[in-house]
């Protein structure tokens, strides 16, 4: 009889812990693990871009090389370059400077694999530009969604909303530190947002991912920002991931 285990990029990941609990399986320790996978065993890779060699003896769900590729924001944009659902981007500071001269706002990404707004510098003028491996043209947005895609289907979605306990929210970079949290009550993303998330995932070989998509109501256009391969899980989202994994295990 095959066995299933969860291996997480972070040994103390709460979402990996809760996923394993929901599935009724164990997690693989980063150190001192006694688990020796057989060919019919299944290893759920939760956000790791590198797996211990011994785990590849089993069937790995979520290719670590693909996780590493997609966690790099520049490489993820390059994968989706012809999809029409990503923002204008460049690795050239001079091109970014031209954008500023044209009155555009530029997001300087000083860290390609940063999360929660890490490494973001907003530049509205050429003088505010900093050296960075990636520059993205800022897109105004009405809403920002997280679309959870599993095996080519949308299994859940959420929207970022201002936290009621935060009076000075940053509407350009919407994360928890800047005053935002995820909500689901009354959330109904435009169909184009869901389609953009699915399209961006098709450029990868990922089994699952949480795609962050912004929506510009004036242009009726969704724009994909990134995909998360180890998203936070709780409540309905956790339940939906557990059920999705059960269908394929």
């Amino acid at each position: 009889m095959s066995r299933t285990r969860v291996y997480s990029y972070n040994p103390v990941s709460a979402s990996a812990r809760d996923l394993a609990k929901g599935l009724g399986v164990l997690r693989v320790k980063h150190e001192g693990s006694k688990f020796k996978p057989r060919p019919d065993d299944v290893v759920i890779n939760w956000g790791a871009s590198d797996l211990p060699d011994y785990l590849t003896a089993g069937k790995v769900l979520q290719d670590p090389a693909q996780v590493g590729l997609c966690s790099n924001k520049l490489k993820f944009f390059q994968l989706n370059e012809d999809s029409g659902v990503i923002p204008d981007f460049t690795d050239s500071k001079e091109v970014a400077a031209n954008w500023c001269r044209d009155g555009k706002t530029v997001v300087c990404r000083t860290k390609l694999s940063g999360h929660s707004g890490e490494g973001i510098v907003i530049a509205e003028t050429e003088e505010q530009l900093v050296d960075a491996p990636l520059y993205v043209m800022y897109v105004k947005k009405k809403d920002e969604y997280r679309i959870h895609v599993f095996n080519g289907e949308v299994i859940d979605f959420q929207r970022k909303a201002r936290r009621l306990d935060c009076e000075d929210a940053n509407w350009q970079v919407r994360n928890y530190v800047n005053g935002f949290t995820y909500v689901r009550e009354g959330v109904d993303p435009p169909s184009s947002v869901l389609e953009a998330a699915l399209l961006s995932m098709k450029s990868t070989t990922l089994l699952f991912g949480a795609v962050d998509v912004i929506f510009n109501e004036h242009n009726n256009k969704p724009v994909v920002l990134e995909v998360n391969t180890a998203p936070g899980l709780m409540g309905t989202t956790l339940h939906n991931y557990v059920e999705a994994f059960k269908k394929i295990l």
Side-chain angles (χ1 to χ4, degrees):
M1 183 175 179
S2 65
R3 301 166 295 174
T4 299
R5 296 290 188 271
V6 176
Y7 182 85
S8 174
Y9 77 102
N10 179 354
V12 295
S13 165
S15 56
R17 177 200 64 206
D18 294 341
L19 176 64
K21 184 178 180 180
L23 290 171
V25 304
L26 299 175
R27 287 175 289 162
V28 180
K29 296 179 180 178
H30 278 221
E31 296 182 7
S33 173
K34 296 181 180 179
F35 176 61
K36 304 299 180 184
R38 300 185 295 260
D40 61 341
D41 289 335
V42 176
V43 177
I44 297 173
N45 174 23
W46 195 252
S49 58
D50 187 32
L51 290 182
D53 289 340
Y54 76 91
L55 289 181
T56 61
K59 180 181 179 181
V60 177
L61 298 184
Q62 199 83 307
D63 178 14
Q66 192 73 184
V67 170
L69 187 67
C70 292
S71 64
N72 181 302
K73 292 175 175 58
L74 175 58
K75 292 181 179 178
F76 177 70
F77 282 167
Q78 290 171 338
L79 278 177
N80 278 277
E81 198 157 8
D82 298 324
S83 67
V85 298
I86 58 170
D88 290 334
F89 70 95
T90 182
D91 59 1
S92 166
K93 191 175 183 179
E94 182 56 35
V95 171
N98 287 333
W99 290 346
C100 288
R101 296 184 196 113
D102 289 339
K104 306 296 185 181
T105 298
V106 176
V107 181
C108 310
R109 306 291 311 230
T110 64
K111 293 187 177 182
L112 292 178
S113 298
H115 59 85
S116 302
E118 185 181 19
I120 287 181
V121 176
I122 303 294
E124 297 183 347
T125 66
E126 183 178 353
E127 292 71 27
Q128 292 174 336
L129 287 173
V130 299
D131 291 335
L134 173 63
Y135 301 94
V136 182
M137 188 182 294
Y138 179 76
V139 179
K140 293 182 179 180
K141 52 192 176 285
K142 176 180 182 289
D143 289 310
E144 183 170 341
Y145 297 94
R146 173 160 286 187
I147 311 300
H148 298 269
V149 178
F150 192 103
N151 204 20
E153 296 182 358
V154 174
I155 63 169
D156 195 27
F157 45 75
Q158 301 155 296
R159 179 177 60 82
K160 286 186 178 181
R162 183 178 65 83
R163 299 193 341 252
L164 297 180
D165 61 343
C166 182
E167 297 181 358
D168 190 25
N170 182 336
W171 291 85
Q172 287 183 311
V173 183
R174 301 182 188 183
N175 56 35
Y176 188 83
V177 174
N178 289 341
F180 285 81
T181 189
Y182 285 107
V183 298
R184 66 173 55 256
E185 185 175 352
V187 174
D188 185 20
S191 60
S192 61
V193 168
L194 304 181
E195 291 165 1
L198 290 169
L199 184 60
S200 68
M201 285 288 285
K202 283 183 178 179
S203 71
T204 77
T205 61
L206 294 174
L207 172 65
F208 60 87
V211 186
D212 289 342
V213 187
I214 59 177
F215 183 68
N216 183 303
E217 188 177 44
H218 178 72
N219 296 324
N220 192 31
K221 182 179 180 181
V223 175
V224 172
L225 300 181
E226 62 183 335
V227 59
N228 305 272
T229 56
L233 300 180
M234 62 178 63
T236 301
T237 305
L238 172 61
H239 171 79
N240 291 347
Y241 270 86
V242 169
E243 292 305 307
F245 274 112
K246 284 182 177 179
K247 289 179 180 179
I248 66 171
L249 290 175

